[in-house]
Amino acid sequence: MAGSTITVRTDPEVAAQIAFLAEAMDRSRNWVIEDALKQYIQAQSWQLEGIKQAQASLDRGEGIPFEAVMEEMDALIEQTARTRDA
């Protein structure tokens, strides 16, 4: 499969870690870098999608007010403290 070439500058320690992983996994440095990029893109895409969904939820008025969340957290903390002290 033909691909695009990207040049990346990195510090020597990162380059050494890439080389170490490639050798340990019997893969090329290119494979290690591409796999890392794919994982990063997947994680960032997942987070961005979650943020977009949360923003849409807030736009629809489905959010929970900060004060209500803090009251519930305070109640849970008090309950946990009482249980621990008992």
Side-chain angles (χ1 to χ4, degrees):
M1 166 174 48
S4 297
T5 299
I6 299 173
T7 302
V8 177
R9 293 190 196 283
T10 188
D11 78 42
E13 185 176 319
V14 173
Q17 290 172 338
I18 291 168
F20 175 81
L21 288 173
E23 186 175 333
M25 296 188 303
D26 196 27
R27 298 285 189 164
S28 68
R29 290 179 304 164
N30 184 74
W31 186 92
V32 172
I33 293 167
E34 185 168 359
D35 187 57
L37 287 171
K38 286 176 182 177
Q39 290 182 44
Y40 176 81
I41 290 166
Q42 183 180 24
Q44 294 301 311
S45 297
W46 176 82
Q47 289 179 358
L48 288 174
E49 183 59 32
I51 290 168
K52 286 169 62 175
Q53 289 177 7
Q55 288 172 332
S57 175
L58 290 174
D59 290 344
R60 293 189 303 270
E62 298 172 355
I64 301 170
F66 175 77
E67 293 79 14
V69 172
M70 293 310 295
E71 286 175 14
E72 185 174 342
M73 293 304 298
D74 287 341
L76 286 170
I77 290 168
E78 282 183 36
Q79 180 182 3
T80 302
R82 281 194 305 268
T83 304
R84 192 177 321 133
D85 293 342

